[in-house]
Amino acid sequence: MASPYSKDLLLTMYRKMYLIRRFEERAGQQYTLGKIAGFCHLYIGQEAVAVGPIEAIRKEDYMLSAYRDHGQPLARGSDAGMVMAELFGRGTGYSKGKGGSMHIFDIEHQFYGGYGIVGGQIPLAAGMAFASRYRNEDRVTVCYFGDAAANQGALHETFNMASKWKLPVIYICENNRYGMGTAISRTSAVPEIYKRAAAYDMRGEPVDGMDVLKMYEAVKDAAAWCRAGKGPVLLEANTYRFRGHSMADPATYRSKQEVEEERKGDPIPKLRDYAIKNGLGADADFERIEEEVKAQVDAAVKFADESPEPSLEELWRDTIVEPGEPDVRPRERVLGTKVTNWPSYPSGQELKVTWDLEPREQAELADKKAGLTR
């Protein structure tokens, strides 16, 4: 049976996953050399969870993540040199080096940040989805969070609101099995996180997070569900990080045998094998991609290393936006590239709500179903 995927899609996915892998490996190397300071959380092993969804949604859809946030912006199209410069704390980074590893932010590519507060991005994603619906935009918001964030109170409050208002938001739990150094099964009475959606009348499903094509299909279907006005979706991407929680983590809470066993499910060679088996790529195609990506990452490290540190005056800048102050477009500021697709949004003042947040008929039916009618 012929593959339903095009060669171009498979090679694009492979290129993006390979870029994330090589970028993260070099980031880890630069951390040990003292070029990157603070916390640095690598995405090695979880590449399919970023790339599959990004290929399944539209460029104008919103995206937020947690602090393991290098992979998503790279897959969305962010400049690798500027992302690496942000890790280095250099002035040519997306946030002039003031955000660092845990706070990548690229408005041009609709990536609205990595967040260091565990679960902090979850209610923000609902707010962005609410704004999309209020503005009558056909946009979906995709929000990543880790398995440990599933126990944050904000998640439950947000899921209730998102379901009640049928917000177009896809929550992807990247369940890599460990919240820092503690297994999810040791902290959660119900370790299958997708099952929590049922409590809020949300659609919830598990997905193989080590298979980029399964992630692609799951998010493609979830996005169609959201755009049809059916409400939010919770996807539990069961994945595995091959490195520690952060560069400071020796990962002594798991055995080497466990890690080696999990490496057999590496999503990158898995996609390559699938493509070759189905006649949608040859060894030469993948070798060419790998050489190009290695050169791209080498150039990114060189760019970051040769970039200047931000001046002391930068400590006082970008803290308050003055009325009428124009956006600073990072790639224009750093690379001189003319950015023509910068997002623009209506103020909201000229809009009128076209839908009832809590229609009385719906509330009466819910009361009746719950046996609360007198």
Side-chain angles (χ1 to χ4, degrees):
M1 186 168 128
S3 171
Y5 309 107
S6 68
K7 178 179 179 179
D8 181 65
L9 175 63
L10 297 185
L11 294 183
T12 296
M13 287 180 167
Y14 187 84
R15 179 182 293 275
K16 290 184 175 183
M17 287 201 294
Y18 196 78
L19 170 61
I20 296 170
R21 177 66 58 87
R22 292 293 167 249
F23 183 98
E24 296 291 65
E25 288 176 344
R26 291 301 301 278
Q29 175 196 59
Q30 296 303 303
Y31 188 95
T32 60
L33 294 173
K35 298 295 180 69
I36 299 173
F39 287 104
C40 184
H41 305 81
L42 303 181
Y43 208 67
I44 296 173
Q46 299 181 211
E47 295 87 353
V49 187
V51 174
I54 285 169
E55 292 305 302
I57 62 174
R58 301 172 183 170
K59 290 182 178 180
E60 63 268 23
D61 290 332
Y62 300 130
M63 182 169 286
L64 303 90
S65 185
Y67 46 74
R68 197 180 305 278
D69 63 341
H70 313 155
Q72 292 96 346
L74 287 171
R76 289 222 91 174
S78 297
D79 184 85
M82 290 178 63
V83 176
M84 188 66 79
E86 190 62 37
L87 270 62
F88 274 51
R90 302 301 172 89
T92 54
Y94 270 95
S95 298
K96 303 181 182 179
K98 295 184 283 187
S101 170
M102 296 195 292
H103 305 287
I104 306 299
F105 205 94
D106 182 6
I107 295 177
E108 180 188 352
H109 294 96
Q110 305 290 0
F111 184 75
Y112 285 83
Y115 291 84
I117 296 175
V118 176
Q121 71 278 20
I122 294 172
L124 294 179
M128 297 182 79
F130 182 92
S132 294
R133 190 169 179 193
Y134 183 75
R135 295 167 177 155
N136 296 311
E137 296 173 335
D138 190 22
R139 273 187 166 117
V140 168
T141 296
V142 176
C143 178
Y144 290 88
F145 64 93
D147 48 277
N151 289 332
Q152 290 282 49
L155 176 139
H156 303 280
E157 297 164 353
T158 301
F159 279 13
N160 183 62
M161 293 172 66
S163 182
K164 181 69 176 175
W165 295 340
K166 303 295 182 187
L167 300 182
V169 55
I170 302 170
Y171 285 103
I172 300 178
C173 175
E174 299 191 84
N175 188 350
N176 57 29
R177 292 170 44 182
Y178 295 96
M180 295 187 71
T182 305
I184 184 69
S185 59
R186 296 181 62 192
T187 61
S188 296
V190 180
E192 300 93 342
I193 293 167
Y194 76 93
K195 292 182 178 179
R196 303 185 186 191
Y200 306 101
D201 196 26
M202 277 176 63
R203 175 180 166 184
E205 299 169 2
V207 189
D208 183 355
M210 302 300 281
D211 189 319
V212 69
L213 297 177
K214 289 181 180 177
M215 287 301 307
Y216 171 81
E217 292 294 348
V219 173
K220 185 178 179 181
D221 187 65
W225 173 279
C226 290
R227 294 189 209 280
K230 296 181 179 179
V233 179
L234 170 63
L235 298 176
E236 180 181 359
N238 291 295
T239 184
Y240 196 84
R241 52 175 165 79
F242 297 157
R243 302 284 290 269
H245 171 73
S246 71
M247 286 298 297
D249 175 19
T252 54
Y253 45 83
R254 60 186 186 181
S255 66
K256 292 183 179 179
Q257 291 80 7
E258 177 186 308
V259 177
E260 289 307 309
E261 187 64 28
E262 293 295 336
R263 282 186 178 274
K264 295 177 182 178
D266 192 321
I268 297 177
K270 183 184 293 185
L271 178 63
R272 177 173 177 157
D273 292 344
Y274 174 90
I276 292 175
K277 181 179 179 181
N278 286 274
L280 295 170
D283 285 331
D285 294 316
F286 295 101
E287 290 168 4
R288 172 179 54 80
I289 289 172
E290 290 168 7
E291 289 304 313
E292 291 171 355
V293 167
K294 287 176 183 177
Q296 180 183 1
V297 174
D298 285 344
V301 174
K302 185 174 186 293
F303 173 81
D305 198 30
E306 294 177 352
S307 293
E309 295 184 352
S311 65
L312 290 176
E313 289 75 16
E314 284 294 340
L315 284 171
W316 313 107
R317 294 176 182 156
D318 306 316
T319 56
I320 298 175
V321 178
E322 299 293 343
E325 182 180 344
D327 285 331
V328 176
R329 305 180 182 187
R331 287 201 307 129
E332 287 189 358
R333 171 178 62 83
V334 176
L335 305 176
T337 304
K338 184 65 177 177
V339 175
T340 58
N341 61 338
W342 192 258
S344 61
Y345 310 99
S347 68
Q349 299 303 313
E350 72 277 19
L351 300 176
K352 293 183 179 180
V353 177
T354 59
W355 48 288
D356 191 350
L357 286 180
E358 298 177 357
R360 182 175 296 278
E361 296 80 4
Q362 179 184 343
E364 290 174 350
L365 286 173
D367 283 350
K368 186 177 181 180
K369 185 178 180 181
L372 299 176
T373 53
R374 295 179 180 176

